[in-house]
Amino acid sequence: MCAELRRASRLVGANPRGPLARVSLAVGGCLRSLGASPPDRIVVALSGGADSLALAAAAIDSGTRMGIDVRTVTVDHGLRPDSGHEAHAVAELARSLGAVPQVVAVDAAAGAAGPEGNARAARMEALRREASGSPVLLGHTMDDQAETVLLRLARGSGAGSLRAMSPRRADADGTVWLRPLLGVRRADTAGACAQMGLVPRSDPTNDPDGPWRAADGSALRRAAVRHRALPALARALGADPVPGLARSAAAAADDDDALASWAQRVRASEVRGEGGARSIRVKALEGLPRAVRGRVLASFLRDAGVPGGSLAAGHVEAVDALVTAWRGQGPLNLPRVVVARSGAGERAVIEAGPLRSQ
């Protein structure tokens, strides 16, 4: 295994230049950020495209120097006749670079989110399962970040969503997702592969005229943004919009963190109750900016028992009206929870508890 790992290091070289240097520095910095006692193993999501292939090679090189084993996971979505053969070819390439490869077949046709959403959900679940607690490295670049910002802007998202993809995210089950390349351009990953003599796999599903289509028969949204919207925006502005969109995501993340911290302080000091029953003083909410009050109420409702996946913006707005537009409204029946305002004056509270079946 050491000899194979050294092959990846030979490809990267001791002093890489240009695109390869940018990829190598980003990945090495990410792994060093794991601390003085890094994990024994990391997992790299490897599709075989330029982004993930450059990431894998740089991770194997840095892992060799830091004593970290690298495992790659290539997901076969099974949506094309030759996808299984391609996945195993990618795995063999990873093995030749020095990784321990794994191919996982998933059913991306199952689910109600459409082919793109179903494939993403199946892929992330497979990676989570195969990681078994090890950090997972994903190959999203600055260009992917810009695409995500545009998609979410079109959906009317707030700061919490416009922060787009985080360089590091830890899930409740302990899985840590790392995106070392968010400061690196897609052209750099292609250039890094070319410098190493590695040939990335081309995925036709990333083409707006590819085999996957949206429910209305049009191009998949991300593919359309990548190949049509961003180039059109660049022509209209006379400048590359990607760095600015990525900076907007970083600024939104800072704003969201500040608002979330404010909301958490209010929640910690004002929310009362245990189990499913919760209450909070109306006076504590009235003077808050709407952005903070909405965050407080959303966490208040989740703690009271509204499932996170069922909590909609309209639910939060309806509860907010009990604070800001009180006209004697009756109780609100939300998913699994009933919410009502009681008391008067300084003693007025918003109460939430389990919805009783009739």
Side-chain angles (χ1 to χ4, degrees):
M1 179 58 69
C2 291
E4 291 179 332
L5 288 172
R6 285 196 295 271
R7 177 185 178 237
S9 293
R10 288 198 306 271
L11 291 177
V12 175
N15 294 292
R17 297 287 187 267
L20 184 53
R22 289 188 281 276
V23 171
S24 178
L25 288 171
V27 175
C30 174
L31 295 185
R32 286 190 293 274
S33 74
L34 295 176
S37 299
D40 295 331
R41 186 185 76 168
I42 58 173
V43 171
V44 176
L46 177 59
S47 68
D51 300 341
S52 66
L53 186 55
L55 170 65
I60 294 167
D61 171 53
S62 293
T64 300
R65 303 174 195 279
M66 299 174 64
I68 302 173
D69 289 333
V70 177
R71 180 178 183 180
T72 61
V73 175
T74 301
V75 177
D76 173 17
H77 299 95
L79 293 173
R80 290 181 290 112
D82 56 351
S83 63
H85 173 75
E86 290 179 358
H88 282 89
V90 169
E92 286 307 309
L93 176 57
R95 190 189 306 279
S96 76
L97 292 172
V100 177
Q102 178 73 19
V103 174
V104 179
V106 301
D107 182 7
E116 195 173 21
N118 294 339
R120 184 185 306 110
R123 182 168 60 250
M124 298 302 279
E125 181 55 35
L127 288 166
R128 185 193 307 277
R129 184 174 60 253
E130 295 299 322
S132 298
S134 298
V136 182
L137 275 63
L138 304 172
H140 299 113
T141 65
M142 184 187 295
D143 298 78
D144 294 300
Q145 185 77 303
E147 293 161 9
T148 302
V149 172
L150 281 183
L151 285 166
R152 294 183 177 182
L153 275 172
R155 295 170 187 154
S157 300
S161 184
L162 289 182
R163 66 184 300 150
M165 295 180 286
S166 299
R168 179 186 179 116
R169 189 189 86 219
D171 287 351
D173 66 357
T175 304
V176 175
W177 306 91
L178 302 172
R179 294 182 173 91
L181 303 182
L182 285 182
V184 174
R185 298 301 300 269
R186 187 173 291 139
D188 286 333
T189 63
C193 288
Q195 284 180 263
M196 291 184 286
L198 299 175
V199 180
R201 181 175 67 88
S202 178
D203 186 352
T205 60
N206 291 326
D207 190 325
D209 298 317
W212 287 8
R213 314 299 293 175
D216 61 1
S218 62
L220 294 180
R221 303 304 177 231
R222 184 172 291 274
V225 166
R226 178 176 302 177
H227 295 279
R228 296 170 183 166
L230 276 170
L233 188 57
R235 289 191 297 271
L237 298 176
D240 182 3
V242 168
L245 289 167
R247 286 194 296 272
S248 294
D254 289 341
D255 292 347
D256 186 48
D257 288 342
L259 293 169
S261 179
W262 187 351
Q264 175 57 31
R265 291 196 298 272
V266 174
R267 175 186 172 191
S269 63
E270 296 292 342
V271 176
R272 300 288 182 268
E274 296 181 356
R278 292 287 190 278
S279 68
I280 185 169
R281 293 187 308 120
V282 170
K283 284 294 182 183
L285 296 168
E286 285 179 333
L288 295 175
R290 181 177 178 180
V292 178
R293 190 171 61 247
R295 285 167 169 78
V296 173
L297 289 174
S299 63
F300 172 77
L301 293 172
R302 284 192 292 267
D303 289 346
V306 178
S310 301
L311 182 60
H315 297 144
V316 177
E317 292 170 1
V319 177
D320 189 60
L322 298 180
V323 177
T324 61
W326 175 243
R327 299 184 304 276
Q329 300 97 307
L332 301 171
N333 290 337
L334 305 185
R336 300 186 187 176
V337 169
V338 60
V339 184
R341 174 167 169 158
S342 64
E346 295 289 336
R347 295 186 177 182
V349 296
I350 303 297
E351 296 177 320
L355 181 63
R356 305 297 182 186
S357 58
Q358 301 298 318

